[in-house]
Amino acid sequence: MTTDIAKPGTPTKAVTKKVRRATKATKNRGAVLFFIAPFSILFALFYIVPILVAIYQSMLTVEREGTFGKPTEVFGGFVQYARVFQDDAFWSSILRVLSFGVVQVPIMLGLALLLALLLDSPLVKGKRFFRLAFFAPYAVPGVIAAVMWGFLYSPKLSPFTAITSEINFLGADLVLWAIANVVTWVFVGYNMIIIYSALLAIPSEIYEAARLDGASQARIAWSIKIPLITPAITLTAIFSIIGTLQLLAEPQVFKSFTSAVTSTFTPNLLIYSTASVPNVNLAAAFSVVLALFTFALSFTVLKFTQRKAD
């Protein structure tokens, strides 16, 4: 019986493997950096840098020498933010979109969940057709959808004058919910696809075991499917909250159909109109506060749903 003894100065097999592994990892790291570099550069240029510029702009204020003097931007600290928190129109628009979201988001996600469960049910035939039909409204750009629905709501332009002459969908009392109908019509299919994809990932063996125990399709949907796709529902809820606070395209289009939608109707409309004055510094402060508020609300909802799941 012989034993191999490594000669002094000669690397062992273990050391050689480690060196090769480290060399391979270094090569892989270079390849990874090469592939993620385009995304990282674009992400920094079009996401990180604009955020930093907005924060910088929000810290500036404009001063003039005399009434008609040349405007000069100087560092103003939190002066713009003080104006934001004193602006009643901004907080009124926040409350408006929050009331919008409290009603519209549950209805939209409820419809999306119902459609996804129907598509996943073995009782429904022609799933490919219905999947495409439910998703089709999302393929319509939001501006086009708002224009289309604006004509349908307009008493003088709508083909359904018998209804629009009796109910003023573009009046101050109903215009917010008319916009909610447009958003729901567009985004139900989008959220349905996310939830339906989560349903497809559930192993079929779970359903077979439930059917052997005598569970009906309704029981399977309520006790098995919905609990297992809770993360997907939470994801769609977070997306919907962010989209609600960023509501812009639909109200902007509806401004041409009704005077009930003003330039302060939603936070983003207020920011847009403020920047158009132009008062870029105040608009930047509005944007930063809105972003922080959106993050705080989304994070709160996420933590609440996680706690309920646990």
Side-chain angles (χ1 to χ4, degrees):
M1 180 176 179
T2 59
T3 303
D4 293 335
I5 301 176
K7 296 181 180 179
T10 303
T12 62
K13 291 183 179 180
V15 174
T16 303
K17 288 182 178 179
K18 288 183 179 180
V19 172
R20 290 177 180 174
R21 199 173 299 155
T23 304
K24 187 176 180 180
T26 303
K27 291 180 179 180
N28 291 340
R29 190 181 298 113
V32 170
L33 292 175
F34 174 78
F35 283 109
I36 68 173
F39 167 79
S40 302
I41 294 172
L42 293 175
F43 181 78
L45 287 177
F46 296 101
Y47 190 82
I48 302 299
V49 172
I51 291 176
L52 296 177
V53 171
I55 295 173
Y56 171 74
Q57 288 286 343
S58 68
M59 305 297 289
L60 301 178
T61 187
V62 177
E63 292 184 353
R64 297 176 182 271
E65 295 182 2
T67 306
F68 303 101
K70 182 180 179 181
T72 305
E73 284 188 337
V74 297
F75 181 76
F78 294 100
V79 172
Q80 301 294 354
Y81 291 97
R83 294 180 62 184
V84 169
F85 286 99
Q86 295 172 3
D87 195 301
D88 294 334
F90 177 71
W91 296 107
S92 296
S93 67
I94 291 284
L95 291 175
R96 187 176 294 110
V97 295
L98 285 179
S99 62
F100 172 97
V102 167
V103 177
Q104 187 268 337
V105 171
I107 292 175
M108 177 178 65
L109 296 185
L111 289 173
L113 176 61
L114 178 61
L115 295 177
L117 290 173
L118 287 174
L119 286 177
D120 194 56
S121 171
L123 303 177
V124 176
K125 306 300 180 182
K127 294 183 180 181
R128 292 184 179 180
F129 169 77
F130 286 110
R131 185 167 63 238
L132 179 61
F134 295 153
F135 185 74
Y138 181 70
V140 180
V143 174
I144 302 300
V147 171
M148 180 183 70
W149 280 98
F151 277 107
L152 293 176
Y153 289 140
S154 181
K156 297 181 180 179
L157 303 173
S158 175
F160 309 105
T161 53
I163 299 175
T164 55
S165 60
E166 297 294 331
I167 304 175
N168 186 10
F169 293 102
L170 299 178
D173 296 331
L174 294 179
V175 68
L176 181 65
W177 310 116
I179 295 173
N181 178 62
V182 178
V183 176
T184 302
W185 182 78
V186 171
F187 285 97
V188 161
Y190 170 80
N191 292 296
M192 180 270 296
I193 288 295
I194 296 177
I195 297 173
Y196 181 61
S197 300
L199 286 170
L200 293 178
I202 299 176
S204 59
E205 292 82 2
I206 298 178
Y207 302 149
E208 294 175 2
R211 283 192 289 269
L212 289 174
D213 290 339
S216 62
Q217 289 298 323
R219 184 65 176 177
I220 292 174
W222 181 258
S223 300
I224 297 177
K225 292 183 179 181
I226 293 179
L228 290 178
I229 62 172
T230 298
I233 298 174
T234 302
L235 177 66
T236 56
I238 297 299
F239 285 169
S240 300
I241 291 171
I242 296 172
T244 297
L245 290 169
Q246 294 181 346
L247 195 63
L248 176 63
E250 291 81 5
Q252 181 71 22
V253 172
F254 270 63
K255 281 182 64 178
S256 60
F257 290 98
T258 175
S259 59
V261 179
T262 64
S263 59
T264 61
F265 193 75
T266 66
N268 269 355
L269 269 179
L270 176 61
I271 293 169
Y272 178 80
S273 60
T274 303
S276 301
V277 172
N279 192 342
V280 178
N281 307 121
L282 182 58
F286 279 135
S287 301
V288 173
V289 172
L290 179 61
L292 292 175
F293 183 82
T294 304
F295 171 78
L297 183 59
S298 303
F299 183 78
T300 302
V301 172
L302 180 62
K303 285 298 180 182
F304 176 78
T305 53
Q306 287 179 343
R307 185 175 300 177
K308 295 288 286 186
D310 295 338

